[in-house]
Amino acid sequence: MKIAVVGGGYAGLACIMELRRRLQNATIHLYDPRVRHLKITHLHETLRHPRSRFEVPFDDLASRLDFEHRPAAVDFSDGVASVAGAAFDYDYIAVTTGSQSLPLPRGAEAYTIEDFASGDGRQIVDAFVEDSTRPRVATVVGGGATGVQFAFELQARLRDAGAGTTIQMLDQGSRPVPDQPVEVSDYVRDRLEDCGIEYCPDSRYCDASGYELIVERGHETCQLQSGLTLLCAGARPAPQAFSTDSTGRVDGSDNMFAAGDCATYTTRADDFMTAQVAVRQGKLIATNIDRVSRDVEPLDYSFCELGYVVSLGALDAAGWILSRTQPLTGTPAFAVKGAVEAQYDLFVAGLDTYIV
Ligand SMILES: Cc1cc2nc3c(=O)[nH]c(=O)nc-3n(C[C@H](O)[C@H](O)[C@H](O)COP(=O)(O)OP(=O)(O)OC[C@H]3O[C@@H](n4cnc5c(N)ncnc54)[C@H](O)[C@@H]3O)c2cc1C
């Protein structure tokens, strides 16, 4: 049996591991234009550490898990998968292509998640510190988990560099990390203030020209200076959304399954754009490819999130665990965050402890 896995992120890797466990004789090809698997949940930490710390070469994974890595992007524009115009010839296709930043206007020195995923976060910040001709204000656009995590890392790097700069966080909502319990938002807001990051609620980023940002506040429009802008305003499925039934099979297809950020499941279970969902859906579609290939009824997706913790710099965190009515802040949250990351590191190293 020949199987193509398209995208080697959290869902793709989980899918390959489960496929290999179940189908020892299958030929598996992984398509991903990157040469290394990126643990993107650490991306904000690339303002502190080299990106290589959070990457694992696909070649290493390929020899351990017995698959072939093909460094190419797959095109789905005509509703069928193809590479450089050549159609795919596989028994099953697992699509796990993730997400990309929402498109926003970009002024000078504005960076997206994709820029950090392919560039050097420390260099981006250091260039701002060294260039005194730029406005001495850095801006984080977006008060969700990604924006908050980047803001604390940015603050620490600027502080350590002794840069006389300020940071503003523009958020179109009224509280940071709005998906978290209110207690967590309050904690994050206090910590932002403690660190000198100005949180600006109800501030919608509309446009940019050079170092000037155009921001709507209620009925007013204002211009703000920004010498470095991090665009963290959310993501959308990439290269497109793949709608699936409750088993992960792409609507209208017999042999294509999807998982992770690119997939939209018909389900009552949790289908958020998170790594923990991506890993569970990746494993599920591998299980279902195995079952369908044996004419066995595929399983429904049924995962419920176990918690979500946001890091607030090197030693602090906040979030919830098991129930949203149990907010967690400070050292206990930091310990949980470390345990979650360690579990994924073990998984990539070959030890699967994801029992639910
Ligand atoms: C800074 C940051 C922090 C985060 N923190 C957390 C967290 O603490 N906890 C949590 O649960 N979630 C977190 N998330 C969200 C989490 O990272 C995503 O939900 C998760 O990565 C989704 O996994 P995925 O496999 O769907 O996509 P990804 O991990 O993004 O992988 C997609 C892969 O597909 C490849 N690809 C894309 N297009 C193509 C194509 N056309 N052809 C072939 N390959 C392609 C890409 O190169 C990439 O390797 C965070 C996200 C960010 C940005």
Side-chain angles (χ1 to χ4, degrees):
M1 192 191 317
K2 269 182 77 183
I3 304 168
V5 176
V6 184
Y10 290 72
L13 221 51
C15 178
I16 290 177
M17 289 193 200
E18 190 65 22
L19 283 173
R20 196 36 90 216
R21 204 174 68 77
R22 290 171 171 270
L23 296 163
Q24 281 84 10
N25 296 323
T27 298
I28 303 173
H29 292 167
L30 167 67
Y31 288 83
D32 195 310
R34 290 182 180 149
V35 291
R36 295 176 204 90
H37 168 69
L38 173 62
K39 296 174 187 172
I40 203 167
T41 60
H42 289 278
L43 195 63
H44 48 284
E45 292 175 49
T46 61
L47 272 51
R48 194 169 7 129
H49 301 295
R51 196 181 69 228
S52 55
R53 183 174 176 142
F54 311 113
E55 291 178 319
V56 185
F58 281 131
D59 283 352
D60 292 359
L61 294 165
S63 49
R64 182 155 56 79
L65 294 165
D66 186 20
F67 66 85
E68 187 185 316
H69 173 226
R70 299 192 163 182
V74 175
D75 184 23
F76 294 93
S77 48
D78 298 326
V80 288
S82 66
V83 173
F88 260 29
D89 180 21
Y90 287 97
D91 297 301
Y92 294 96
I93 301 171
V95 188
T96 57
T97 45
S99 55
Q100 65 192 30
S101 298
L102 288 175
L104 287 175
R106 287 171 78 155
E109 302 299 342
Y111 297 88
T112 62
I113 294 303
E114 289 72 31
D115 296 320
F116 287 99
S118 60
D120 183 332
R122 295 172 307 163
Q123 257 176 28
I124 289 171
V125 180
D126 293 350
F128 166 60
V129 171
E130 284 155 19
D131 185 355
S132 57
T133 63
R134 295 200 221 164
R136 298 288 78 198
V137 186
T139 307
V140 177
V141 177
T146 302
V148 164
Q149 297 188 122
F150 266 99
F152 281 98
E153 294 292 341
L154 178 61
Q155 187 272 340
R157 185 137 194 112
L158 292 175
R159 181 201 57 209
D160 293 349
T165 54
T166 56
I167 305 177
Q168 58 195 356
M169 174 179 276
L170 305 179
D171 188 9
Q172 68 176 3
S174 56
R175 64 179 175 101
V177 285
D179 299 337
Q180 292 277 351
V182 173
E183 295 89 334
V184 173
S185 288
D186 290 345
Y187 182 82
V188 171
R189 208 172 171 146
D190 289 347
R191 293 290 297 119
L192 288 168
E193 199 179 311
D194 294 345
C195 290
I197 301 167
E198 187 193 359
Y199 176 69
C200 310
D202 307 310
S203 300
R204 196 170 76 84
Y205 170 87
C206 306
D207 206 349
S209 168
Y211 292 120
E212 201 166 80
L213 312 182
I214 315 293
V215 177
E216 251 176 39
R217 284 182 170 149
H219 296 297
E220 289 180 5
T221 302
C222 58
Q223 282 98 29
L224 302 174
Q225 294 286 301
S226 180
L228 172 67
T229 305
L230 274 47
L231 298 169
C232 306
R236 65 176 185 191
Q240 66 197 58
F242 293 87
S243 301
T244 79
D245 63 15
S246 56
T247 72
R249 189 167 358 206
V250 174
D251 294 344
S253 171
D254 285 338
N255 71 341
M256 195 186 283
F257 289 77
D261 285 5
C262 69
T264 312
Y265 276 52
T266 302
T267 180
R268 291 186 163 197
D270 286 345
D271 187 24
F272 306 123
M273 282 180 164
T274 64
Q276 56 180 307
V277 164
V279 167
R280 271 51 175 221
Q281 290 181 346
K283 288 177 72 169
L284 175 83
I285 62 171
T287 303
N288 284 343
I289 286 172
D290 171 35
R291 291 175 75 96
V292 168
S293 72
R294 293 185 286 114
D295 280 331
V296 178
E297 199 63 19
L299 303 176
D300 283 335
Y301 173 66
S302 60
F303 177 67
C304 288
E305 272 205 322
L306 303 169
Y308 197 99
V309 179
V310 179
S311 92
L312 312 176
L315 292 169
D316 197 4
W320 61 275
I321 182 124
L322 298 177
S323 158
R324 282 173 192 276
T325 58
Q326 293 181 23
L328 213 57
T329 56
T331 309
F334 182 71
V336 168
K337 180 83 176 160
V340 170
E341 302 293 3
Q343 186 183 29
Y344 187 70
D345 289 344
L346 280 178
F347 184 63
V348 173
L351 187 61
D352 183 357
T353 59
Y354 293 104
I355 43 175
V356 282

